[in-house]
Amino acid sequence: MTTDEIAITGIRATGYHGVYEHERRDGQEFVADLVLSLSLARAAATDDVTDTVHYGEVAERVAAILAGDPVDLIETVAERIATAVLSGWSLVDAVAVTVHKPSAPIPVPFGDVAVTVRRSRA
């Protein structure tokens, strides 16, 4: 059981996701938070970045997905991010991805809309 985590929060990018035409046309800011579950014991012992996950590279990949091919739902964006992390970094045993859509077209005052997916290796 993995008990170590790397958290990366507040990754921001302009994306064109949404079900409404104006969301696809105008775009808006999306924000992602990730928690990677993995063993950090080897990295702590060796003090070598190659024995851990380079969180800068993860953040760049997440931002590219946020700004990438438009989809209707932030649920789909979150799933794409989780899949990319698990397929791109073999040290990661599980990932929790939260995608925020702070400017969602909701006609009442609100603070944020977010979805979270949790995925792990089989």
Side-chain angles (χ1 to χ4, degrees):
M1 174 192 230
T2 302
T3 58
D4 304 329
E5 296 178 342
I6 295 174
I8 310 167
T9 61
I11 302 166
R12 291 174 166 71
T14 299
Y16 297 86
H17 314 291
V19 297
Y20 297 114
E21 186 273 330
H22 66 88
E23 294 178 292
R24 296 287 184 109
R25 181 189 65 235
D26 303 335
Q28 59 191 288
E29 183 179 67
F30 291 85
V31 183
D33 302 325
L34 282 76
V35 178
L36 314 177
S37 298
L38 68 160
S39 175
L40 298 174
R42 182 169 171 82
T46 64
D47 197 32
D48 187 339
V49 70
T50 62
D51 290 329
T52 188
V53 172
H54 191 303
Y55 44 81
E57 293 173 357
V58 175
E60 288 177 2
R61 180 70 181 115
V62 170
I65 293 168
L66 291 174
D69 292 335
V71 295
D72 288 346
L73 303 176
I74 58 175
E75 290 87 335
T76 305
V77 177
E79 185 69 30
R80 285 181 175 179
I81 292 169
T83 299
V85 170
L86 290 174
S87 65
W89 288 273
S90 61
L91 292 175
V92 177
D93 297 321
V95 62
V97 178
T98 302
V99 175
H100 304 262
K101 189 174 180 179
S103 298
I106 298 174
V108 298
F110 72 101
D112 190 19
V113 172
V115 301
T116 301
V117 300
R118 291 175 182 82
R119 301 293 181 262
S120 61
R121 298 191 185 282

